[in-house]
Amino acid sequence: GDLTASIAAAKEKVPSVTAELEAMDGKITQAKEDLKTAQDDRVAAKEAMAEATVVREKEAAAFAAEKAENDANIAAMQNAIAALERGMAGGFLQTPTAAKLRSIVQGNDDMEDADKQELVSFLSGEADYAPASGQITGILKQMLETMQKNLAEATEQENAAIQGYEELMTAKEKEVEALTEAVESKTALIGKLGVAKVQMKEDLDDT
């Protein structure tokens, strides 16, 4: 009687353990898919960080070069205005600053042609300064104001870009951290499910 009962119990047990094994396989497959997604997402997040860093470094270098040039041009312009206001036009025209100013003026596409010609001929020593002194200084002051405004705008843009980059990095670092935790927990889960599956199989073999 006992043997019959245990055979009957075993027969009942086999389908339920088989069903549990199938369910376990499903869980393992799902956990492996989740693990792969987390790993891929983590790689993508790190790549996005690296890419953003390359872009930021290029932007920072471009801004640094632009700022250095602007600072030099602004200083040349301020020196010129100061010299002219002190009535030292003749001496000033012999300086490297005057030569630098001439190249700044020649490279400036925003100026009116008449103003540009007047300045270039003055800076080349071709025009007499005295009659148009106020006008020359006025044009230079206008140019100086535009340069300072452009530099302020470029600085503002650079600061905004720095802030945007830092915010992106903070968000991505958090994302990488969360994905690393997911990778670790999914890896542990796959191990745990694997052990449980082996025990189930042994249980089924013992039946």
Side-chain angles (χ1 to χ4, degrees), residues 56 59 63 66 150-163:
R56 179 80 288 274
E59 286 173 351
F63 171 73
E66 185 186 346
N150 290 346
L151 179 58
E153 281 171 10
T155 304
E156 212 173 287
Q157 284 172 353
E158 171 67 1
N159 290 339
I162 290 170
Q163 194 184 342

Side-chain angles (χ1 to χ4, degrees), residues 13-202:
K13 190 176 174 183
V14 170
S16 87
V17 174
T18 306
E20 278 173 27
L21 267 171
E22 279 173 13
M24 184 61 76
D25 280 337
K27 281 182 187 169
I28 291 171
T29 302
Q30 185 58 55
K32 282 181 177 171
E33 280 172 15
D34 292 346
L35 173 62
K36 183 163 182 352
T37 300
Q39 285 169 330
D40 290 349
D41 288 351
R42 182 170 61 175
V43 168
K46 284 182 175 177
E47 279 173 1
M49 287 168 83
E51 213 171 289
T53 301
V54 169
V55 171
R56 179 80 288 274
E57 282 168 359
K58 275 187 191 162
E59 286 173 351
F63 171 73
E66 185 186 346
K67 184 180 180 335
E69 190 184 337
N70 273 325
D71 284 343
N73 291 353
I74 286 168
M77 197 65 77
Q78 287 168 331
N79 288 342
I81 292 166
L84 297 180
E85 284 180 339
R86 287 199 306 268
M88 322 239 316
F92 168 73
L93 290 175
Q94 309 307 315
T95 64
T97 304
K100 177 163 185 55
L101 209 52
R102 194 163 63 238
S103 73
I104 294 171
V105 172
Q106 283 168 330
N108 188 329
D109 298 326
D110 301 326
M111 283 179 76
E112 287 182 22
D113 285 344
D115 286 351
K116 189 185 266 198
Q117 273 173 336
E118 193 171 345
L119 268 182
V120 170
S121 63
F122 161 67
L123 291 165
S124 309
E126 292 161 11
D128 184 17
Y129 175 65
S133 62
Q135 202 178 343
I136 298 278
T137 313
I139 298 170
L140 290 177
K141 282 183 174 171
Q142 218 174 344
M143 279 182 76
L144 175 63
E145 205 177 291
T146 304
M147 281 181 187
Q148 288 170 326
K149 189 169 148 246
N150 290 346
L151 179 58
E153 281 171 10
T155 304
E156 212 173 287
Q157 284 172 353
E158 171 67 1
N159 290 339
I162 290 170
Q163 194 184 342
Y165 169 74
E166 284 170 357
E167 284 168 6
L168 172 77
M169 282 314 210
T170 304
K172 287 289 171 195
E173 276 161 14
K174 281 183 185 163
E175 191 184 332
V176 168
E177 222 170 276
L179 288 166
T180 299
E181 281 172 21
V183 166
E184 285 166 5
S185 70
K186 293 297 170 196
T187 305
L189 177 64
I190 291 164
K192 216 158 89 178
L193 292 173
V195 171
K197 184 180 169 181
V198 169
Q199 284 170 343
M200 279 184 187
K201 275 192 165 169
E202 283 172 2

